[in-house]
Amino acid sequence: MTIAPIQLDTYKLGFIGAGKMAESIARGVVQSGVLHPSRISTAHSNPVRRSAFESFGVKVFSQNQQVVEDSDVVIFSVKPQVVKDVVLQLQPLLSKKKLLVSVAAGVKLKDLQTWAGSERFVRVMPNTPAAVGEAATVMSLGGAATEADGELISKLFGSVGKIWKADEKLFDAITGLSGSGPAYVYIAIEALADGGVAAGLPRELALGLASQTVLGAASMVCQSGKHPGQLKDEVASPGGTTIAGIHELEKDGFRGLLINAVVAAAKRSREFSN
Amino acid sequence: MTTAPIQLDTYKLGFIGAGKMAESIARGIVQSGVLHPSRISTAHSNPVRRSAFESFGVKVFPQNEQVVEDSDVVIFSVKPQVVKDVVLQLQPLLSKKKLLVSVAAGVKLKDLQTWAGSERFIRVMPNTPAAVGEAATVMSLGGAATEADGELISKLFGSVGKIWKADEKLFDAITGLSGSGPAYIYIAIEALADGGVAAGLPRELALGLASQTVLGAASMVCQSGKHPGQLKDEVASPGGTTIAGIHELEKDGFRGLLMNAVVAAAKRSREFSK
């Protein structure tokens, strides 16, 4: 049985769960011109959430059922604890003509597909910087999701950052790295600012320089196509200030602490799955 | 004696030293529309460097003297070891009608002003991510540089990233943080990728996620206006994967290592100044 492709020019997108992640994705999709807001809908009873979406042209229904009926692509963006009940409740309306997507952390395709009675599911793991259009996102295609379905999802999530495709069995490791990673960077930025203050800078300048320096360095890695080790070599001049700083990091195992963090977070994610 | 203001609509900009930093700044200025390339010049004998600049419309003279004569604002972007000789050689042409700028790391305003015979100097400390338009830059005004001169320089360097103003006595600390800081982040990105590989990810995916995650987190700090500690609190849910990762960093003094790096690099910078 051939799966009917989603019509790219006319498909409608619905969000089940009108929280921060849904808002970030919807805003990104509209701002980048991928979809006109009239093609997007969600549902919420809370007037604050309603107006958050209505303010940029998204339609807000009263009930999730109306969103599903109106949509060809349905993104489940409710909290992981409630996604099972929500999908089961909507199951009668989830025909195989619809492409279903879940962004619920830790919820497996096998279960989503059972609850929905449909294997045309794509599991997507974005991270919180979707809010500023710089997410690191990974997707995994379910049993009946097509290549074209994957490209459609790629385009949607590409409007809030970068997206990769991977086997679902890698999702615990991905959680440990891109899911939890932003927190490690927030700590690093605060510590760099503290270092600046220790060296004599006023706090506001130290924090501004710290965050912009991390942003710039990450941009260099993302855009230059060079290995980070090579970029490091290029800026560490003989006997200079940079290699003096690097020496402090290396002698006390800075790299190992970050490896430990990713591994521990991935391990905790696996424990949740069991 | 009033210092004649630089005419914003018509001033010409010249680079003494046509290396990578000059190229990054010139490209940023042109791409952002701050100046038309016909208002920018430099000098170099090497045909590769000539064509690098000519390729985006910048004029390339054979001699530095011609650049100075043609320019109202002159940026000295030669290596620190040669800036003294270069400024002394051009001194007869450096009238007080010209605004002089140095980006030479570790070279003080007092010395620049003596060599130039002019106090209308601004010392600027950018960092290497100027190459991708995300520099963290700090400037310090010399004895006869006006507020308007400072705003002009702000606008030029604002086209390649963010810029702050600070007292020159803070420049060693700034070197330790934003000058050398990118290297600490290159190491962090490589370590995060290694963590991903340790947790089971293929290298290419791990490195892509690591760099995008750092970019996204830094963007969140820069754009949200929230304290990094607050951003960390918001993503560390009870008993979750993120706090498990954070615990690994905190128990082994991750923050302290970054402070050590900034302080050591600042100390090395001070040693150079003596």
Side-chain angles (χ1 to χ4, degrees):
Chain A
M1 179 186 94
T2 349
I3 297 166
I6 305 290
Q7 293 303 314
L8 293 175
D9 296 337
T10 54
Y11 80 84
K12 285 163 137 194
L13 174 65
F15 288 89
I16 302 299
K20 281 191 283 189
M21 183 55 75
E23 188 181 342
S24 298
I25 298 163
R27 283 190 187 275
V29 168
V30 169
Q31 265 164 30
S32 62
V34 170
L35 289 181
H36 192 269
S38 60
R39 290 170 64 185
I40 307 175
S41 69
T42 187
H44 213 291
S45 48
N46 178 326
V48 173
R49 295 312 295 148
R50 292 183 76 93
S51 67
F53 283 85
E54 283 165 343
S55 72
F56 59 101
V58 167
K59 206 170 3 185
V60 183
F61 292 111
S62 341
Q63 304 279 357
N64 282 337
Q65 283 79 354
Q66 293 163 296
V67 176
V68 174
E69 278 163 351
D70 198 55
S71 304
D72 308 290
V73 180
V74 180
I75 297 183
F76 289 92
S77 42
V78 289
K79 290 199 189 310
Q81 306 88 301
V82 305
V83 70
K84 175 178 178 179
D85 288 344
V86 169
V87 175
L88 283 174
Q89 194 187 19
L90 294 167
Q91 188 269 334
L93 302 170
L94 301 175
S95 87
K96 288 166 184 51
K97 287 209 194 98
K98 295 187 195 292
L99 171 58
L100 309 177
V101 182
S102 162
V103 297
V107 183
K108 294 190 162 116
L109 278 165
K110 179 170 67 93
D111 296 322
L112 291 160
Q113 290 171 172
T114 299
W115 302 328
S118 166
E119 294 206 342
R120 198 176 184 182
F121 236 115
V122 180
R123 179 182 172 189
V124 179
M125 170 100 203
N127 66 358
T128 43
V132 290
E134 289 291 358
T137 301
V138 187
M139 69 170 168
S140 184
L141 302 187
T146 66
E147 282 296 304
D149 289 344
E151 279 161 34
L152 186 154
I153 297 308
S154 257
K155 205 159 178 206
L156 288 180
F157 283 85
S159 72
V160 289
K162 291 209 175 119
I163 177 160
W164 288 263
K165 206 189 288 187
D167 204 288
E168 200 185 15
K169 67 183 197 287
L170 299 180
F171 269 45
D172 291 310
I174 288 161
T175 300
L177 174 50
S178 55
S180 293
Y184 318 152
V185 181
Y186 300 146
I187 290 172
I189 288 173
E190 190 173 354
L192 285 168
D194 281 339
V197 173
L201 300 181
R203 173 62 58 175
E204 198 182 327
L205 176 62
L207 184 53
L209 289 178
S211 32
Q212 182 63 22
T213 295
V214 177
L215 182 66
S219 301
M220 286 287 276
V221 180
C222 290
Q223 295 192 38
S224 71
K226 290 177 176 174
H227 190 285
Q230 188 186 341
L231 287 168
K232 179 264 290 175
D233 286 359
E234 286 174 4
V235 298
S237 41
T241 63
T242 304
I243 196 71
I246 288 172
H247 191 185
E248 290 295 321
L249 299 178
E250 299 288 16
K251 73 195 226 288
D252 287 323
F254 174 77
R255 295 178 189 250
L257 302 196
L258 284 163
I259 295 177
N260 291 347
V262 175
V263 167
K267 180 165 181 269
R268 178 67 55 87
S269 180
R270 258 172 235 121
E271 287 161 6
F272 281 137
S273 302
N274 294 344
Chain B
M1 180 185 94
T2 351
T3 308
I6 306 289
Q7 293 303 313
L8 293 176
D9 296 336
T10 55
Y11 79 83
K12 286 162 135 195
L13 173 66
F15 288 89
I16 302 299
K20 280 192 283 190
M21 183 54 76
E23 188 181 342
S24 297
I25 299 163
R27 282 189 187 276
I29 289 168
V30 169
Q31 265 164 28
S32 64
V34 170
L35 289 181
H36 192 270
S38 59
R39 291 170 63 185
I40 307 175
S41 69
T42 187
H44 213 290
S45 48
N46 178 326
V48 173
R49 296 311 295 149
R50 292 183 75 95
S51 68
F53 283 85
E54 282 166 344
S55 72
F56 58 101
V58 167
K59 207 170 359 185
V60 184
F61 292 111
Q63 303 278 357
N64 282 336
E65 284 79 5
Q66 294 161 295
V67 176
V68 174
E69 277 164 350
D70 197 55
S71 304
D72 306 290
V73 179
V74 180
I75 298 182
F76 288 91
S77 42
V78 290
K79 290 200 188 309
Q81 306 88 304
V82 304
V83 69
K84 175 179 180 179
D85 289 343
V86 170
V87 175
L88 283 174
Q89 193 187 14
L90 294 167
Q91 188 269 333
L93 302 170
L94 300 174
S95 88
K96 286 164 183 52
K97 289 209 192 98
K98 295 186 195 291
L99 171 58
L100 310 177
V101 181
S102 163
V103 298
V107 183
K108 295 189 159 117
L109 278 165
K110 177 170 69 93
D111 296 322
L112 291 161
Q113 291 171 169
T114 300
W115 302 329
S118 164
E119 292 206 343
R120 197 176 186 183
F121 235 115
I122 295 182
R123 179 180 172 189
V124 179
M125 170 99 201
N127 67 357
T128 44
V132 289
E134 290 291 359
T137 301
V138 187
M139 68 171 168
S140 184
L141 302 186
T146 66
E147 283 296 303
D149 289 344
E151 279 161 33
L152 187 155
I153 295 309
S154 256
K155 204 157 178 208
L156 289 182
F157 283 85
S159 73
V160 289
K162 290 209 175 114
I163 177 160
W164 288 263
K165 207 191 286 189
D167 202 289
E168 200 185 14
K169 67 184 197 286
L170 299 181
F171 270 46
D172 291 310
I174 289 162
T175 299
L177 175 51
S178 55
S180 293
Y184 318 153
I185 301 311
Y186 300 146
I187 290 172
I189 289 173
E190 189 174 354
L192 285 167
D194 280 340
V197 173
L201 300 181
R203 173 62 58 176
E204 199 183 327
L205 176 62
L207 183 53
L209 289 178
S211 32
Q212 182 63 21
T213 295
V214 177
L215 181 66
S219 301
M220 287 287 275
V221 180
C222 290
Q223 295 191 38
S224 71
K226 289 179 178 173
H227 192 284
Q230 187 186 342
L231 288 168
K232 179 264 288 174
D233 287 357
E234 287 175 4
V235 297
S237 41
T241 63
T242 303
I243 197 71
I246 288 171
H247 192 185
E248 290 295 319
L249 299 178
E250 298 287 17
K251 73 195 225 288
D252 288 323
F254 175 78
R255 294 177 189 252
L257 301 197
L258 282 163
M259 289 181 71
N260 291 347
V262 175
V263 167
K267 179 165 182 269
R268 179 67 55 87
S269 180
R270 258 171 236 121
E271 287 162 7
F272 281 136
S273 302
K274 304 202 154 84

